[in-house]
């Protein structure tokens, strides 16, 4: 399956892991059931069956397979990772008051906020049940730490989102929380469950961390570049007053007049019809978008470097290709 050049890396990964992913999907369907609260599988199925690349659970399966693991628990861990991810999406849509996800109405719109929050809580609980079934205390620590880091990152984003004093270091901390923590946990546990040496486990962690950061920076960049590369409308983050890396970079170089503009539109939320056009002009003037693009590419290179320390194999090369694919929309 890995020799199909016309397939994108995540599609080739899905093909190579088809049997394992089928087992993960079966386990997810089994564990999202509830005898007493039928709304739980209704809400969960709406999001789980909506599609998506299932990149995070595939990273767990691929890491375990790369490390020679032949036991049953990589499936449990991949399902755990997907449950944590799905739970955070349910909660995020409530916090962000979102109405669309993956082109479909969000669960909070179809049902209500209470259902989304409580079903998200249920999925978190299910994820902990699954991870304990491995009997591996280190795996439990890694994934429970990731769940705490994700929540911490989301709270930090709430306080930093419209604060123009937010630095690039704080932005990176938010990104590590909301995105990279689950990527790195997904890859790290694959090495741990396989009993690999510490340097291999660290390399897998570094790969997932860098891949997740690159993934989020690209997503934030595409909000301003848009076009055919993304399903997002250009300027969604701007309209929602989210302080992402391009804007942080532009504000750091702004003169007094420009700073007054950013304070009005981001901190005060006083946005007018021509403000997005002006924001794009300022981002371009200070090279903020290009600098952001270069940072995404640099993180992808870090991911590739980490993966190259692991034993050579077709699967390792595919994960290296995946690093390039994550940034291909801005390359």
């Amino acid at each position: 399956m890995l020799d199909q050049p016309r397939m994108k890396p995540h599609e080739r990964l899905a093909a190579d892991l088809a049997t394992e992913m089928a087992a993960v999907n079966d386990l997810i369907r089994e564990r999202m059931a509830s005898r007493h609260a039928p709304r739980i599988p209704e809400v969960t199925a709406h999001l789980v069956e909506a599609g998506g690349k299932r990149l995070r659970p595939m990273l767990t399966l691929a890491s375990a397979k790369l490390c020679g693991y032949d036991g049953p628990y990589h499936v449990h861990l991949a399902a755990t990772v997907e449950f944590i991810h799905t739970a955070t999406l349910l909660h995020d849509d409530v916090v962000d008051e979102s109405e669309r996800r993956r082109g479909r109405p969000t669960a909070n719109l179809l049902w209500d906020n209470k259902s989304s929050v409580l079903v998200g809580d249920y999925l978190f609980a299910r994820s902990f049940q699954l991870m304990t079934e491995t009997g591996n205390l280190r795996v439990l620590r890694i994934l429970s730490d990731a769940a705490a880091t994700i929540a911490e990152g989301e709270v930090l984003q709430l306080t930093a989102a419209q604060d123009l004093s937010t630095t690039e270091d704080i932005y990176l901390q938010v990104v590590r929380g909301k995105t990279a923590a689950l990527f790195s946990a997904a890859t790290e546990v694959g090495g741990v469950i396989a009993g690999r040496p510490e340097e291999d486990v660290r390399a897998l962690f570094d790969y997932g961390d860098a891949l997740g950061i690159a993934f989020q920076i690209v997503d934030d960049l595409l909000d301003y570049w848009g076009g055919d590369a993304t399903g997002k409308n250009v300027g969604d983050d701007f309209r929602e007053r989210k302080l992402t890396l391009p804007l942080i970079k532009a504000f750091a170089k702004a003169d007094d007049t420009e700073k007054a503009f950013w304070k009005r539109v981001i901190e005060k939320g006083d946005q007018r019809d021509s403000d997005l056009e002006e924001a794009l002009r300022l981002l371009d003037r200070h090279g903020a978008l290009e600098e952001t693009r270069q940072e995404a590419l640099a993180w992808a290179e870090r991911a590739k470097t980490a993966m190259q320390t692991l034993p050579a194999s077709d699967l390792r090369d595919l994960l290296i290709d995946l690093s390039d694919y994550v940034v291909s929309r801005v390359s």
Side-chain angles (χ1 to χ4, degrees):
M1 289 290 188
L2 294 180
D3 60 351
Q4 299 181 33
R6 293 185 181 180
M7 297 175 73
K8 296 174 182 177
H10 70 87
E11 294 169 339
R12 289 156 54 203
L13 192 61
D16 190 53
L17 300 170
T19 300
E20 293 93 336
M21 276 306 298
V24 171
N25 291 333
D26 287 344
L27 187 57
I28 286 173
R29 281 189 287 270
E30 174 192 325
R31 299 302 178 92
M32 73 185 191
S34 171
R35 288 180 299 167
H36 307 296
R39 180 162 294 185
I40 289 173
E42 289 174 5
V43 173
T44 306
H46 174 72
L47 194 53
V48 169
E49 306 295 341
K53 296 180 178 66
R54 296 284 178 92
L55 185 57
R56 293 158 186 83
M58 285 198 296
L59 287 173
T60 298
L61 296 175
S63 298
K65 189 173 182 178
L66 179 65
C67 291
Y69 181 69
D70 60 0
Y73 291 119
H74 60 320
V75 171
H76 288 67
L77 294 177
T80 295
V81 166
E82 185 64 10
F83 270 150
I84 293 173
H85 179 53
T86 304
T88 61
L89 295 184
L90 285 168
H91 289 169
D92 287 352
D93 286 341
V94 172
V95 171
D96 295 339
E97 300 178 348
S98 301
E99 296 184 353
R100 308 287 294 181
R101 180 173 289 280
R102 296 171 183 162
R104 306 173 75 198
T106 54
N108 50 300
L109 185 66
L110 291 178
W111 286 273
D112 50 54
N113 286 341
K114 293 177 182 178
S115 295
S116 289
V117 170
L118 293 174
V119 172
D121 291 345
Y122 178 83
L123 294 182
F124 269 124
R126 279 301 202 200
S127 74
F128 281 94
Q129 288 178 328
L130 277 166
M131 69 178 84
T132 59
E133 290 174 21
T134 67
N136 188 311
L137 188 59
R138 186 176 178 188
V139 159
L140 179 59
R141 179 183 60 77
I142 291 168
L143 289 168
S144 58
D145 283 353
T149 301
I150 291 166
E152 187 178 37
E154 293 291 353
V155 174
L156 177 59
Q157 185 178 40
L158 279 179
T159 59
Q162 286 131 29
D163 182 357
L164 287 166
S165 66
T166 297
T167 63
E168 291 190 25
D169 285 343
I170 293 175
Y171 168 83
L172 187 60
Q173 190 176 346
V174 169
V175 168
R176 276 211 159 96
K178 65 182 286 188
T179 303
L182 194 53
F183 274 73
S184 58
T187 49
E188 185 180 10
V189 295
V192 170
I193 201 71
R196 296 296 296 179
E198 199 58 39
E199 58 267 26
D200 289 352
V201 173
R202 181 68 204 189
L204 287 166
F205 171 88
D206 289 343
Y207 171 81
D209 178 63
L211 187 73
I213 293 171
F215 183 93
Q216 188 60 54
I217 291 177
V218 167
D219 195 58
D220 292 342
L221 177 58
L222 288 174
D223 186 74
Y224 289 100
W225 270 356
D228 295 334
T230 174
K232 298 169 68 175
N233 296 316
V234 173
D236 279 348
D237 285 350
F238 175 79
R239 284 182 283 270
E240 293 170 16
R241 300 160 60 201
K242 290 182 179 178
L243 198 62
T244 56
L245 189 57
L247 202 155
I248 292 170
K249 287 182 175 295
F251 185 76
K253 298 179 180 179
D255 60 28
D256 289 344
T257 301
E258 292 168 353
K259 285 181 178 178
F261 167 79
W262 291 121
K263 287 177 181 178
R264 173 173 65 80
V265 297
I266 300 299
E267 288 190 344
K268 297 179 181 178
D270 177 13
Q271 295 189 5
R272 301 158 193 173
D273 289 344
S274 61
D275 284 341
L276 175 58
E277 184 179 342
E278 174 65 7
L280 291 169
R281 186 186 71 80
L282 294 177
L283 290 169
D284 183 62
R285 175 184 178 187
H286 294 295
L289 297 177
E290 176 58 23
E291 284 187 21
T292 300
R293 187 181 81 90
Q294 290 299 328
E295 291 211 19
L297 297 177
W299 280 107
E301 284 299 318
R302 290 193 195 189
K304 292 163 65 175
T305 298
M307 186 53 60
Q308 284 165 349
T309 67
L310 292 162
S313 69
D314 288 343
L315 188 54
R316 187 201 70 168
D317 293 343
L318 179 49
L319 290 172
I320 290 172
D321 289 346
L322 185 65
S323 304
D324 286 327
Y325 174 71
V326 161
V327 295
S328 63
R329 294 180 296 173
V330 298
S331 296

